[in-house]
Amino acid sequence: MATRSWWGWGTVEDAVTGAERAALTKRVAALLPDADLSVHEAPDPRDLAVPEPRVQLPDSLAQLGSHDLVDRLAHGHRQAFRDVVRNLLGRIDHVPDLVVRPHGEQDVIDILDWCARTGVAAVPFGGGTSVVGGVEPRCGTEFAGTIALDLGRMNTVAEIDRVSRAARIQAGILGPALEDSLRPHGLTLRHFPQSFEFSTLGGWLATRAGGHYATVYTHIDDMVESLRVVTPVGVSASRRLPASGAGPSPDRMFLGSEGILGVITEAWMRVQERPRWRAGASVVFDDYGRAVDATRVIAQAGLFPANCRLLDPVEAFLNAGTATQGGVLVLGFESADHPVDESLRRALEICRDHGGTAPDDVRGSEATAERDRSDTAGTWRNSFLRMPYQRDALAAQSMITETFETACTWSDFDALRAAVQAAASAAFQAAGVTGLLTCRFTHVYPDGPAPYFGIYAAGQWGRTVEQWDEIKAAVSEALHTRGGTITHHHAVGRDHRPWYDRQRPEPFAVALRAAKSALDPAGILNPGVLVDPEKR
Amino acid sequence: MATRSWWGWGTVEDAVTGAERAALTKRVAALLPDADLSVHEAPDPRDLAVPEPRVQLPDSLAQLGSHDLVDRLAHGHRQAFRDVVRNLLGRIDHVPDLVVRPHGEQDVIDILDWCARTGVAAVPFGGGTSVVGGVEPRCGTEFAGTIALDLGRMNTVAEIDRVSRAARIQAGILGPALEDSLRPHGLTLRHFPQSFEFSTLGGWLATRAGGHYATVYTHIDDMVESLRVVTPVGVSASRRLPASGAGPSPDRMFLGSEGILGVITEAWMRVQERPRWRAGASVVFDDYGRAVDATRVIAQAGLFPANCRLLDPVEAFLNAGTATQGGVLVLGFESADHPVDESLRRALEICRDHGGTAPDDVRGSEATAERDRSDTAGTWRNSFLRMPYQRDALAAQSMITETFETACTWSDFDALRAAVQAAASAAFQAAGVTGLLTCRFTHVYPDGPAPYFGIYAAGQWGRTVEQWDEIKAAVSEALHTRGGTITHHHAVGRDHRPWYDRQRPEPFAVALRAAKSALDPAGILNPGVLVDPEKR
């Protein structure tokens, strides 16, 4: 059994060490020769000065709670760069007073009831992979205490409807367990965010997660058939429906509500047959502008690629080991029903029309194990799964390494990318650091891409959180000004609030605050996230 | 210039008369030999006893208003069977006091402001094709008056972004004008509800309309890039974004809000290239159960047919002139980018595996004019466009002819259809009428179909509204009990309230009422639709 890291990503056993660390360090040193890359170790959590719990569960709920120090620490700061570095520095700003783990819906009801009565803030907690301060209990001073409401014990696939291809799944299940339960039935949810191993269905739903696939059914929103949500004023249960036009969608109000309206306890999810046919290729471009055009035309062609991931030249070099002038487009098609060679052939034709160099022989149609690939796409995939671990390794070596993401129209993209690059460069200079910006598309839509940016900069140990916060503010301002969204799939949490507050239409904020007050009159659900309480 | 009918569907010039009426009457008489099919003419509206307007616009808005009798009548009852028959009977239950036509957003703001100050209910009005009492000013007795807020003058395509394939479009534009504006750019919104000719973008958005196409991008919801909505507390303007994970979707709160939260004034809509490649076929089945299975497998195969319309044997006979034991599946594929023969070939293979008789030679790939077809699909299409006119003709001949629709999981469908059939039969008997029930799928999803039912029964003149209301209550109860939604795309309006109130999760109703109170403190927006005011 692997041990979850209290301070960083994933498991202790999978952390970057030895030869991998040496190689990584060498690669970074080559790019940033002046960087001080000496390694800082995480403190022993037992040495940290953490306040004692301020609250105690009543006897009826006591067996659901934990006040173990490491458990509490592991539910405080989570997986943003700024969380990880604060942990490494032993700078523990917020921990929940208790971690509470319900066994089922009635426990959730009872816990929220107790919280409302006693003025304790409840932070719903799935896998804890938030990179936006979504579960850090920064709840203000008006509460008697804070709890992490950890859904991890509600973790089964409870029912499968093979004919309608849907499954009733509890919110606290982790990605691998979910897929393990569906696999014997030949089914898959086919939702693979980068956090897949350590995040939960409930977390995906509460944050409107984006999956690994580039087009059409990839957002968790579109896979929801019905939701069950415990609110402080009652349980909300929507019908299992493939679609409905009966008023505004109830599910869409809870999707993305980040725990402020209720606790999602289970959902009927649309599942799929496991893919049998696959085809893929990586296309090299000499000109990034033409690569973007090719990607746009593919996104608008109704071909629905599973992968359509354009890596800019820096990203292609850093994470796929490919040196290009114009980037690499990683293309993939999948189907459980029919060969997809023809779709790939057409996509490659579009690439060639835009100056892309595409392989003449395309990978075969029968499914192959993704892991065995040794080409660009395979390298990318392995790299993708290691990225969070490497981010942590570099964070411990004074590097400022973090990602941020957005979506915008195709028309806005060039200016947005230029503005982000300019903002990042200016922020590097202001912070006195040398840095790089990378960009890839994680998803593409007919009307625009979802650009995902990476920052790699050599910081100064003890100051990298503040240095990152300045860079983040600068690039966020650029995203906001140039028409992007402050988040395409990372969520708002607490870290994105200043830009979210300006992005959302004010009448929507008025409506959301009113809905929040009506559903959570005591205001105990994840305070600080998305909205502040109504002024009364 | 054609004349809109004040009492029934569409234009006076296109009404069913002469040989078409004779043929229709003959066909119905063959099925229902005891029916009294004598024709009742609509009254002269000038002879109707309609109350004088109770309110007057202030001078500053006076030029926007109309108190013309026929204008008011045409904004009262709309296009449900029960609306049309009441009009034919001269039984005018509700008319707005005034019809008010803003020229732009500021007019809308000023009108709502006046309504809020003077206690006048405002019913946002697009094309007036509601079949659910959505725009009938049944607003209760607490208002000084009611106005129809007709957006018909805000009717332009204001801006086109060719690169991102999006267009900024005013809410009051009718379907044909919208398509006419996009056509010179080679673009189409590709949203063709049956009401297309007479309904507006704003109406589609406010009611979450379903288009003609069977799968993937067919709901208006999925074509929205951003919305502009005038609420009584301010204008809500969302960003143009291909996707966003920043909190619950603001647009999804207004989509389907049926005018109770604000008035949608314009939207950036995702548009498409006009289709160039087409392929289609009609498949005959001997067994309806196997036809349903074939349709399900196609819906789950990721082939994304543009048409996948399964007509049950009665529907196939009545509306496509095809006699079968198991129904007809009308299949079609379209693309602006690539040939679609291969998708059709695979879909036909699935049909044959389920006992379907498919043509060996499939219609060619290059686009052909839809109107020229003389096969089952073509017959169906022409019939589809004539249906509302024929419904009105039969309504004037004492027939009870109306449709209702739902969506359910594939697992629930057999039992739901049987329950609807049983409920309809029992209701026919209770009402002392002979009748038929037809069923087709308008849309298919991986997890379930959207069944669309038709009722054809011989009623008694002067009693058909009450007879229909009884039948409607019985079949609605069956839909509700068997897990369906009370509406997949017709909306809730006032007619579906009893079932909607039971279908929606109560905490969602609590949230929606709170949002409504916050955005529309005076409660003047379309009272009676979706929710009642909060108790204070």
Side-chain angles (χ1 to χ4, degrees), chain A residues 161 164 225 337 411 447 484, chain B residues 161 164 225 239 346 411 447:
Chain A
D161 174 350
S164 309
E225 198 176 66
D337 182 76
S411 312
D447 54 335
Chain B
D161 175 350
S164 309
E225 199 177 65
R239 293 199 152 204
R346 173 60 189 140
S411 310
D447 54 336

Side-chain angles (χ1 to χ4, degrees), chain A residues 339-351:
Chain A
V340 285
D341 308 60
E342 188 51 31
S343 298
L344 178 60
R345 194 202 58 72
R346 173 61 190 140
L348 291 177
E349 190 173 78
I350 292 169
C351 290

Side-chain angles (χ1 to χ4, degrees), chain A residues 119-428:
Chain A
V120 171
V123 178
F125 191 103
T129 58
S130 173
V131 292
V132 294
V135 296
E136 180 175 348
R138 270 183 260 158
C139 298
T141 55
E142 68 208 274
F143 297 96
T146 61
I147 63 164
L149 182 53
D150 184 327
L151 278 284
R153 282 178 180 157
M154 296 169 64
N155 59 7
T156 63
V157 173
E159 202 173 339
I160 290 177
D161 174 350
R162 193 70 184 73
V163 171
S164 309
R165 288 206 327 201
R168 183 161 67 84
I169 309 175
Q170 289 189 296
I173 196 167
L174 292 166
L178 192 168
E179 288 295 329
D180 288 348
S181 298
L182 296 177
R183 194 174 295 107
H185 304 272
L187 297 171
T188 173
L189 181 61
R190 203 170 170 274
H191 182 73
F192 302 110
Q194 195 172 27
S195 62
F196 174 74
E197 261 188 286
F198 305 106
S199 55
T200 63
L201 175 64
W204 303 337
L205 296 167
T207 60
R208 299 176 67 195
H212 182 263
Y213 297 104
T215 66
V216 72
Y217 299 119
T218 183
H219 281 274
I220 201 74
D221 316 41
D222 296 322
M223 302 176 194
V224 176
E225 198 176 66
S226 77
L227 284 185
R228 209 169 161 91
V229 186
V230 174
T231 81
V233 300
V235 176
S236 175
S238 59
R239 294 202 151 201
R240 284 187 61 193
L241 294 172
S244 176
S249 163
D251 293 344
R252 297 274 180 175
M253 184 184 75
F254 290 110
L255 291 167
S257 64
E258 302 191 17
I260 70 162
L261 302 179
V263 179
I264 299 167
T265 54
E266 67 173 41
W268 273 97
M269 299 298 296
R270 297 172 184 134
V271 295
Q272 304 182 40
E273 308 278 334
R274 301 185 72 80
R276 176 178 162 202
W277 310 93
R278 284 204 179 90
S282 298
V283 184
V284 172
F285 286 86
D286 285 337
D287 180 275
Y288 183 65
R290 297 194 75 193
V292 172
D293 285 345
T295 309
R296 174 177 58 77
V297 173
I298 293 169
Q300 294 177 341
L303 293 165
F304 304 121
N307 267 309
C308 188
R309 198 174 288 269
L310 178 62
L311 316 182
D312 80 355
V314 188
E315 179 85 46
F317 182 72
L318 277 182
N319 289 317
T322 308
T324 65
Q325 293 298 309
V328 174
L329 178 61
V330 181
L331 281 170
F333 292 84
E334 288 188 3
S335 172
D337 182 76
H338 49 265
V340 285
D341 308 60
E342 188 51 31
S343 298
L344 178 60
R345 194 202 58 72
R346 173 61 190 140
L348 291 177
E349 190 173 78
I350 292 169
C351 290
R352 288 194 198 93
D353 288 348
H354 291 81
T357 307
D360 287 330
D361 59 325
V362 158
R363 268 202 304 285
S365 274
E366 285 286 343
T368 52
E370 293 284 320
R371 273 154 232 266
D372 298 343
R373 292 190 193 162
S374 56
D375 55 7
T376 307
T379 306
W380 161 259
R381 195 180 186 85
N382 294 331
S383 164
F384 181 69
L385 295 174
R386 290 304 291 162
M387 280 177 197
Y389 288 107
Q390 296 184 344
R391 195 267 319 255
D392 287 1
L394 294 176
Q397 291 175 271
S398 307
M399 286 289 291
I400 301 163
T401 51
E402 183 58 299
T403 61
F404 58 96
E405 36 87 63
T406 189
C408 62
T409 63
W410 291 108
S411 312
D412 285 338
F413 173 65
D414 287 348
L416 179 140
R417 181 166 173 264
V420 168
Q421 180 69 69
S425 298
F428 292 154

Side-chain angles (χ1 to χ4, degrees), chain B residues 124-456:
Chain B
F125 191 103
T129 59
S130 173
V131 292
V132 293
V135 294
E136 180 176 347
R138 272 182 260 159
C139 297
T141 56
E142 68 206 271
F143 296 96
T146 62
I147 63 164
L149 182 52
D150 184 327
L151 278 283
R153 283 178 182 159
M154 295 168 66
N155 61 5
T156 63
V157 172
E159 202 173 339
I160 291 178
D161 175 350
R162 193 70 185 71
V163 172
S164 309
R165 288 203 330 197
R168 183 162 66 84
I169 309 175
Q170 289 190 295
I173 197 168
L174 293 167
L178 192 168
E179 288 295 328
D180 288 348
S181 298
L182 295 176
R183 193 174 298 107
H185 304 272
L187 297 171
T188 172
L189 181 61
R190 204 172 170 272
H191 182 72
F192 302 109
Q194 195 172 26
S195 62
F196 174 73
E197 261 188 287
F198 305 106
S199 55
T200 63
L201 174 65
W204 303 337
L205 295 166
T207 60
R208 297 176 68 194
H212 182 263
Y213 298 102
T215 67
V216 70
Y217 299 118
T218 183
H219 281 274
I220 199 74
D221 317 39
D222 295 323
M223 302 176 195
V224 176
E225 199 177 65
S226 77
L227 284 186
R228 205 166 165 94
V229 187
V230 174
T231 80
V233 300
V235 176
S236 175
S238 59
R239 293 199 152 204
R240 284 187 60 193
L241 295 172
S244 176
S249 164
D251 292 344
R252 297 274 181 176
M253 184 184 76
F254 290 111
L255 292 168
S257 63
E258 302 191 16
I260 71 162
L261 302 179
V263 179
I264 298 167
T265 53
E266 67 173 42
W268 272 96
M269 299 297 297
R270 297 171 184 135
V271 296
Q272 303 183 39
E273 307 278 332
R274 303 185 71 78
R276 175 178 163 201
W277 310 92
R278 284 203 179 89
S282 299
V283 184
V284 172
F285 287 86
D286 284 339
D287 180 275
Y288 184 65
R290 297 194 74 194
V292 171
D293 286 345
T295 309
R296 175 176 59 76
V297 173
I298 292 169
Q300 294 177 341
L303 293 165
F304 303 122
N307 266 310
C308 189
R309 198 174 287 270
L310 178 62
L311 317 181
D312 81 354
V314 188
E315 179 84 45
F317 181 72
L318 276 182
N319 288 318
T322 308
T324 65
Q325 293 298 307
V328 175
L329 178 61
V330 181
L331 280 171
F333 292 85
E334 287 188 4
S335 172
D337 181 75
H338 47 267
V340 286
D341 308 60
E342 189 51 32
S343 297
L344 178 61
R345 195 203 56 72
R346 173 60 189 140
L348 292 177
E349 188 173 79
I350 292 169
C351 289
R352 288 193 197 94
D353 288 348
H354 290 81
T357 307
D360 287 329
D361 59 326
V362 158
R363 267 202 305 284
S365 274
E366 285 287 343
T368 52
E370 293 283 318
R371 274 155 230 269
D372 298 342
R373 291 189 194 163
S374 57
D375 55 6
T376 307
T379 307
W380 161 258
R381 196 181 184 85
N382 295 331
S383 165
F384 180 69
L385 295 174
R386 290 303 290 163
M387 279 177 196
Y389 288 107
Q390 297 184 343
R391 195 268 317 257
D392 286 0
L394 294 175
Q397 292 176 271
S398 307
M399 287 288 292
I400 302 163
T401 51
E402 183 59 299
T403 61
F404 58 96
E405 36 85 64
T406 189
C408 62
T409 63
W410 291 108
S411 310
D412 285 337
F413 172 66
D414 287 349
L416 178 139
R417 181 166 174 265
V420 167
Q421 180 69 69
S425 298
F428 293 155
Q429 196 161 20
V433 301
T434 312
L436 291 173
L437 178 78
T438 68
C439 179
R440 62 182 190 259
F441 294 163
T442 55
H443 303 78
V444 291
Y445 305 89
D447 54 336
Y452 193 95
F453 296 94
I455 293 274
Y456 299 83

